[in-house]
Amino acid sequence: MLGLGLIGGAATGAWLTGDSSAGTARSPYAAARTAWHSVPVDTLFPPTLKGRGAGPGGTHRDWTRLAVAADSPCEEGLDPLLLTTLRSVGCERLVRATYTDATRSAVTTVGLVFTEADAAGMQALRTRFTEQKLGARRDLMPRTYAPRGTPAASFGAGQRASWTVAPLTEIPVVVLAVSGFADGRPVAEPQPAAEAVAPDAATDIAQAGLGHEAKGIADRVERGLRRAVADLTEQPG
């Protein structure tokens, strides 16, 4: 069952923030901060995603949404160490969905952490991730969302294979995704998506395209969010 905010967004197809006034454009930060409940769920997490050139060797990918988790506090959806790492920017809300590829051999949970930070705070977090290479730390992998009765039902902590965590700077959001095999096989040596998509990557994870799954889905959800925020910040005609 979806969270009330997402249900309301999906039902109305409109943004419901109530602090919008005719003739007044909103800043990207103000608009994005409320997007978790003001943007329709099918806009945040489309039922299908197209990934032209998003697979290994530039192959095309298509992904189908399996389920959307109820919006939640970050404490319910992030491991404690990742939550601690993001504490400097605060957490307004976490929304997540899980997708599978066309062959139903891979599953990916993608999430959006809506923060309480300003532009300086998000830039500081992004700098920290870059300088300390936090995106490559296995102990900072996102959690999975494994909806029952779907190909992702056995997608747990031990099945996490590749991941990405990306703080944005233009809007107060952290985009994250984690992928794995749909057959539930355990993964002993997870690999960051940035490494798994390298042309010379030869691990089983890389060869299976799981880095491309995590990165491709995260990228497309991020693009959709940016478009939605741009729509919310347009000056009314």
Side-chain angles (χ1 to χ4, degrees), residues 130-157:
T130 300
E131 293 180 348
Q132 299 181 19
K133 297 180 170 55
L134 299 183
R137 284 182 48 167
R138 295 177 186 175
D139 54 0
L140 296 181
M141 277 194 293
R143 281 182 181 172
T144 66
Y145 167 55
R148 296 179 180 178
T150 74
S154 59
F155 187 29

Side-chain angles (χ1 to χ4, degrees), residues 100-112:
T100 188
D101 68 323
T103 66
R104 296 206 161 203
S105 61
V107 289
T108 302
T109 294
V110 60
L112 299 170

Side-chain angles (χ1 to χ4, degrees), residues 4-17 37-43:
L4 294 177
L6 291 179
I7 289 176
T12 64
W15 53 293
L16 309 172
T17 51
H37 66 78
S38 63
V39 173
V41 63
D42 285 349
T43 299

Side-chain angles (χ1 to χ4, degrees), residues 54-101:
T59 56
H60 301 327
R61 282 288 204 262
D62 292 303
W63 298 288
T64 300
R65 191 184 71 197
L66 297 175
V68 179
D71 60 272
S72 67
C74 285
E75 291 82 358
E76 295 180 11
L78 300 179
D79 283 342
L81 190 55
L82 180 54
L83 183 64
T84 298
T85 303
L86 301 181
R87 184 169 294 161
S88 64
V89 294
C91 174
E92 176 68 26
R93 211 67 177 168
L94 169 67
V95 293
R96 296 181 295 166
T98 295
Y99 287 82
T100 188
D101 68 323

Side-chain angles (χ1 to χ4, degrees), residues 30-31 45 60 67 75 77 97 101 122 133 146 168 171 176 181 189 191 199 207 217 219 227 237:
F45 302 118
H60 301 327
E75 291 82 358
D101 68 323
M122 292 304 297
K133 297 180 170 55
L168 307 183
I171 53 177
L176 47 84
F181 296 101
E189 297 290 334
Q191 185 177 31
Q207 295 298 310
I217 291 175
D219 285 350
R227 287 193 296 268

Side-chain angles (χ1 to χ4, degrees), residues 195-207:
E195 296 178 7
V197 301
D200 59 348
T203 63
D204 291 343
I205 291 169
Q207 295 298 310

